[in-house]
Amino acid sequence: MTADFGRLMQYAGRNIEFENSERDAVWCGTESRPCVDCTAGILGSTPNSRCSDRVMSTRLSTGIRYLQKMVRDKWAGVKLKVLEAWDEPYEGHENGDNAIDSLHYEGRAIKVTTSDDDATKLSNVASLAICSGIDFVEHKGDHLYMAVKKQDWRERRMVHFPTADLLVAETPAEDEEQYTLPDSYSHDEKSTMHIFDSDHKEERKLSNNGKIKHFKSPSSRYFRLSPSLVECYQAIITRENKARQETDPFIGLTVERGYLTNTDQEVILDTDPRYNRHVTGRAMQIHYNNTYGDLDTTVYTPMRLAKRAVHKCGPNFASKQFSIAVGLYDTSVYIEMRSTFDAWVESEDLLPPGKTEAEFKAEMEKWLQRSVEGRVIDPDNPERACRTSVQPERQSCDFKHVHPEPVRRRRSTGNDPDSCQPQTDTIFCKSTQQHRKTEVDKILWEQITAKHLGCGEDDIKEALEICFGTCGTCQTGNVWWDKQEHCNNLLHWLPFDFYDIEDQVAFYVRENKDLKQAACNGHCIDKAPLFSLVAPTVERLYRPDPKRSVQEPLYSATNNPLPVYDLMNRLYAMHARGKVRVYVKDSAELSTLRGSLQMSMIFNKDVSEVDFYVQFPENVEQVTSTLENLLLEWTKTSCPDHAREYVPPFTIQELPPGHTKRSPEFALREEMLDKQKNWEKNWLKSHTLL
């Protein structure tokens, strides 16, 4: 296994198909290494368990990650399929499948098609590939050849930084001892720690905000510097200024120490022996820049900076096969690229009362894991994310529905002529007016007032009348938005709750009765008092002609849609605590539960874990892919002021055997409910002569 292969990364997601044609060969790479089957996913990260078809450069991995989402969005059920990525010798192909100078051997090229092998889609895929950041695309007829530019470790004489390329230099022979690397590093490791010459270049920008002079010892002309460290520095600055307004101070970073010569390093070793990587160009000591005294130092603290470093730098380092070390000091933070994670504090006095250094390290390690897995809520545009977001809340008399900004804007400008035009004077609305009034006055209101009303009676009555009493078509427009507002207020104000539901909440699609038994074994929404109150009305049938037995829904999606179920499921999700379970048949059902999942995984801070159970094993992969794309969307668009800091850990697994088998009691209850709802259809079936 070559060092180049070891520096690349494996694509771990299941949202792309990998052909892995070499999997049936006796050996791969070398005759002593067996081939692995990675069509279903990666098997590990050790040299012998890595799968060549999933191995590629970080740039290529990022490009196809975005490309696969574009492909799935354009063609439902179709995925990107990789035919070949990294190339290596294998049984019967001792020289691999490509020419010796092929970019496949650098992890920079792949051959792709679509999962349905439809060559007519490839021209569109090629266009999408360019949009996703792939640098070169060539149509080969039955597949596409794609390649990306070289990353920092690919060039032998030039090293790429975010905004500049630096020429690798040699130090004068008489100064060699100042720049010699420790013997603990192997030859391959030392070959990546390049020396650069700063002569007449100290003002050159290596990133938008980082110059050469920021990262080198002031006493030395030559320096070492990893591009990843510069990317880390810039990523922190970019993140801190995402939500910056024109009048806000710019939040910069000062590098107290970057690269140090051996002599410089020996001096600071007397201060703290944990400073031991400055000579490699992979470490820096930084603090927030407060030159003009306009930064709120109670907000921009070293603790905040340490957390930002783990979040923004940890995934970058991980993509280069490194971990991160973070040291918390009185006024600064030490950041380092290391082979294993580490974290420490100068003194436990810097931590909150009662917190130990061991607890700080454990917390930082968890934060690193969340960051590497992409579970941190970090919107691309915080201002826009918060402007279009509304803080979800639990049941409360203080709740007041607020429409998101896009809806408020549309209400002020009137109905969009290209959208569905709401109608309130339809024959259906006129003929069902008395039925709706009966539901409101004689059924719902009598049950509601039978309990003590903790919230204002007049407010509840008004919300009830507009929610269930209003009739109108379309799931957009003022009528629909009025329903959303008053139904949401009603559900939050009613004296009917969800019980104590810690570690019990489960979601399923109500049409899937096979999964209802498994979901409701603990606590599902069907068992909530609020659901029992409103569900009969939501599903109420009426007779258009009292003289005939034909029945129709009072609140149908076509004639009079009602947002109650969606709003109630979201509210139910906000009341969950601890572990949450989700039962789905396929990705379509997962998408149906989108609102509940977003509340549970993005907004509800009391959810500690989410376990997904997929009814059929062949659908696990598609469900995983759909969830990954949903989380990618939510983590990049959710408002940090309203959301959790990170997505809770989750698992996706096949539903264990027997969980869909109905108990006799459950089957009897469902049969009775079905007969009640479909008595007319069943009667006609039993009287075929009629």
Side-chain angles (χ1 to χ4, degrees):
M1 197 65 60
T2 66
D4 286 342
F5 184 80
R7 295 189 189 105
L8 301 177
M9 64 179 295
Q10 287 192 99
Y11 191 94
R14 296 182 178 180
N15 42 29
I16 295 178
E17 284 190 11
F18 288 85
E19 188 173 62
N20 192 205
S21 58
E22 300 94 341
R23 64 183 182 275
D24 295 327
V26 174
W27 59 268
C28 289
T30 64
E31 294 185 3
S32 62
R33 177 176 174 264
C35 299
V36 297
D37 183 355
C38 63
T39 52
I42 64 172
L43 302 181
S45 299
T46 64
N48 283 335
S49 63
R50 298 177 85 187
C51 174
S52 62
D53 274 351
R54 285 181 175 266
V55 170
M56 59 193 72
S57 71
T58 303
R59 185 180 184 86
L60 185 56
S61 173
T62 300
I64 67 169
R65 181 187 180 198
Y66 286 104
L67 176 59
Q68 64 81 21
K69 188 176 187 303
M70 293 180 185
V71 170
R72 288 174 59 85
D73 289 344
K74 188 170 183 63
W75 298 290
V78 177
K79 298 200 298 186
L80 193 68
K81 179 163 74 173
V82 173
L83 304 176
E84 186 168 31
W86 168 274
D87 194 16
E88 64 182 350
Y90 62 96
E91 180 194 18
H93 298 77
E94 284 71 15
N95 296 318
D97 295 320
N98 297 280
I100 193 170
D101 59 349
S102 169
L103 295 182
H104 285 284
Y105 295 107
E106 299 180 12
R108 293 169 46 207
I110 55 172
K111 298 173 184 176
V112 305
T113 182
T114 54
S115 59
D116 59 357
D117 294 317
D118 183 357
T120 63
K121 292 186 174 74
L122 294 183
S123 293
N124 281 325
V125 176
S127 299
L128 296 176
I130 297 299
C131 296
S132 70
I134 302 296
D135 300 308
F136 177 82
V137 181
E138 183 177 0
H139 200 310
K140 294 288 190 178
D142 61 347
H143 71 277
L144 298 177
Y145 172 83
M146 301 180 183
V148 295
K149 294 177 180 179
K150 294 181 178 181
Q151 296 279 8
D152 52 273
W153 62 77
R154 303 308 325 165
E155 290 282 358
R156 300 303 298 173
R157 304 307 300 170
M158 296 292 294
V159 175
H160 302 292
F161 289 81
T163 61
D165 294 345
L166 297 185
L167 181 68
V168 177
E170 289 183 351
T171 60
E174 61 269 22
D175 295 334
E176 186 175 343
E177 289 186 0
Q178 288 289 335
Y179 304 99
T180 302
L181 290 165
D183 293 336
S184 57
Y185 294 105
S186 68
H187 173 75
D188 284 343
E189 288 175 313
K190 291 179 180 179
S191 69
T192 64
M193 302 176 190
H194 303 296
I195 282 281
F196 306 105
D197 185 356
S198 68
D199 189 32
H200 296 93
K201 302 185 189 75
E202 291 203 351
E203 292 295 326
R204 178 176 292 183
K205 280 191 172 184
L206 299 179
S207 69
N208 290 340
N209 302 102
K211 299 179 179 180
I212 287 178
K213 68 179 183 180
H214 296 152
F215 299 97
K216 61 174 289 292
S217 168
S219 65
S220 171
R221 168 179 169 178
Y222 297 92
F223 67 100
R224 286 189 171 88
L225 181 61
S226 168
S228 296
L229 205 65
V230 178
E231 292 165 2
C232 165
Y233 170 89
Q234 186 60 51
I236 297 173
I237 293 178
T238 301
R239 175 61 185 86
E240 291 291 20
N241 288 279
K242 268 186 180 181
R244 176 175 171 264
Q245 302 298 312
E246 188 175 345
T247 57
D248 295 336
F250 179 80
I251 303 167
L253 295 177
T254 296
V255 182
E256 293 183 7
R257 298 188 185 95
Y259 171 76
L260 297 177
T261 65
N262 286 326
T263 300
D264 295 331
Q265 179 78 65
E266 289 171 3
V267 173
I268 67 162
L269 278 175
D270 294 335
T271 305
D272 191 333
R274 290 170 289 196
Y275 287 125
N276 59 357
R277 295 294 192 279
H278 284 287
V279 296
T280 67
R282 294 176 176 172
M284 61 182 174
Q285 187 89 5
I286 61 176
H287 65 256
Y288 286 117
N289 187 342
N290 195 24
T291 304
Y292 302 105
D294 53 0
L295 204 63
D296 187 346
T297 55
T298 63
V299 174
Y300 294 95
T301 63
M303 177 67 80
R304 174 191 176 105
L305 184 53
K307 199 171 182 178
R308 280 279 187 258
V310 171
H311 172 210
K312 302 307 298 182
C313 307
N316 184 319
F317 295 173
S319 71
K320 312 297 193 303
Q321 309 300 315
F322 286 95
S323 190
I324 188 172
V326 179
L328 179 65
Y329 291 82
D330 185 33
T331 60
S332 62
V333 172
Y334 175 77
I335 303 171
E336 179 193 316
M337 301 169 64
R338 282 192 184 178
S339 58
T340 57
F341 171 81
D342 199 5
W344 63 87
V345 295
E346 181 182 27
S347 167
E348 289 190 349
D349 292 339
L350 300 174
L351 300 175
K355 195 167 190 177
T356 66
E357 183 177 56
E359 290 171 333
F360 168 77
K361 180 177 180 179
E363 180 182 328
M364 289 295 104
E365 190 164 20
K366 287 181 180 178
W367 195 247
L368 174 62
Q369 181 181 359
R370 296 163 189 152
S371 302
V372 171
E373 293 174 352
R375 293 195 286 118
V376 176
I377 309 297
D378 186 22
D380 294 330
N381 188 324
E383 187 276 330
R384 181 172 59 197
C386 292
R387 176 163 41 85
T388 58
S389 174
V390 175
Q391 173 72 67
E393 297 179 31
R394 294 174 177 170
Q395 286 182 310
S396 167
C397 292
D398 297 326
F399 176 81
K400 188 70 175 177
H401 177 88
V402 177
H403 288 296
E405 190 269 344
V407 172
R408 296 197 301 271
R409 185 173 63 250
R410 288 186 62 186
R411 296 198 77 164
S412 65
T413 58
N415 288 330
D416 183 353
D418 296 327
S419 299
C420 178
Q421 300 301 307
Q423 302 294 323
T424 59
D425 57 351
T426 63
I427 295 175
F428 177 89
C429 287
K430 293 176 180 177
S431 64
T432 58
Q433 181 176 1
Q434 186 58 45
H435 293 281
R436 298 193 308 276
K437 182 173 175 48
T438 299
E439 289 296 324
V440 171
D441 295 338
K442 300 297 184 182
I443 300 177
L444 288 173
W445 187 242
E446 289 184 3
Q447 294 183 67
I448 292 170
T449 53
K451 296 189 68 173
H452 173 70
L453 298 180
C455 306
E457 181 174 326
D458 291 342
D459 291 336
I460 293 177
K461 185 65 183 293
E462 180 186 14
L464 175 65
E465 290 174 344
I466 297 178
C467 175
F468 286 96
T470 302
C471 181
T473 60
C474 301
Q475 295 185 33
T476 186
N478 288 329
V479 176
W480 174 255
W481 294 325
D482 283 342
K483 285 185 182 182
Q484 283 188 319
E485 176 181 350
H486 291 281
C487 290
N488 206 17
N489 286 337
L490 178 67
L491 295 173
H492 280 79
W493 295 341
L494 285 175
F496 295 78
D497 55 21
F498 295 104
Y499 289 138
D500 183 3
I501 45 179
E502 184 170 5
D503 292 331
Q504 296 185 61
V505 165
F507 295 100
Y508 75 102
V509 175
R510 297 197 70 242
E511 289 74 17
N512 191 336
K513 294 182 179 179
D514 289 335
L515 289 179
K516 182 177 181 179
Q517 168 78 6
C520 296
N521 186 45
H523 192 289
C524 63
I525 196 169
D526 304 56
K527 297 183 178 181
L530 184 61
F531 179 88
S532 299
L533 171 71
V534 302
T537 293
V538 173
E539 300 179 2
R540 184 74 67 200
L541 301 176
Y542 82 104
R543 294 182 180 180
D545 184 349
K547 297 179 181 180
R548 303 183 63 184
S549 61
V550 177
Q551 292 183 313
E552 294 181 5
L554 187 58
Y555 300 97
S556 70
T558 302
N559 294 318
N560 188 19
L562 198 62
V564 168
Y565 271 164
D566 178 62
L567 293 171
M568 186 164 50
N569 274 289
R570 290 170 180 261
L571 182 57
Y572 178 60
M574 286 302 298
H575 280 265
R577 290 186 290 115
K579 182 183 293 188
V580 169
R581 295 171 291 122
V582 181
Y583 297 83
V584 294
K585 178 180 68 176
D586 50 26
S587 59
E589 287 198 353
L590 187 79
S591 297
T592 300
L593 296 174
R594 176 188 177 106
S596 302
L597 297 179
Q598 188 177 21
M599 295 301 109
S600 300
M601 304 185 78
I602 302 298
F603 293 106
N604 188 338
K605 299 178 182 180
D606 290 332
V607 172
S608 59
E609 180 182 347
V610 182
D611 294 330
F612 291 84
Y613 296 95
V614 184
Q615 188 172 1
F616 303 113
E618 61 269 23
N619 292 338
V620 170
E621 184 176 346
Q622 61 166 256
V623 169
T624 301
S625 179
T626 299
L627 181 61
E628 287 176 351
N629 287 331
L630 284 175
L631 294 179
L632 177 63
E633 173 190 341
W634 291 336
T635 56
K636 296 301 182 185
T637 59
S638 298
C639 175
D641 295 341
H642 301 160
R644 306 164 52 106
E645 281 193 301
Y646 55 89
V647 175
F650 59 90
T651 63
I652 304 176
Q653 55 196 294
E654 176 190 351
L655 184 67
H659 277 60
T660 57
K661 185 177 180 181
R662 304 184 185 185
S663 66
E665 296 82 2
F666 180 87
L668 179 60
R669 184 168 62 252
E670 290 298 304
E671 182 180 354
M672 292 174 65
L673 289 172
D674 182 72
K675 285 182 178 179
Q676 181 181 4
K677 292 180 180 179
N678 301 288
W679 67 269
E680 183 180 16
K681 184 188 299 182
N682 296 331
W683 186 86
L684 288 173
K685 286 182 179 180
S686 64
H687 295 75
T688 55
L689 294 179
L690 298 177

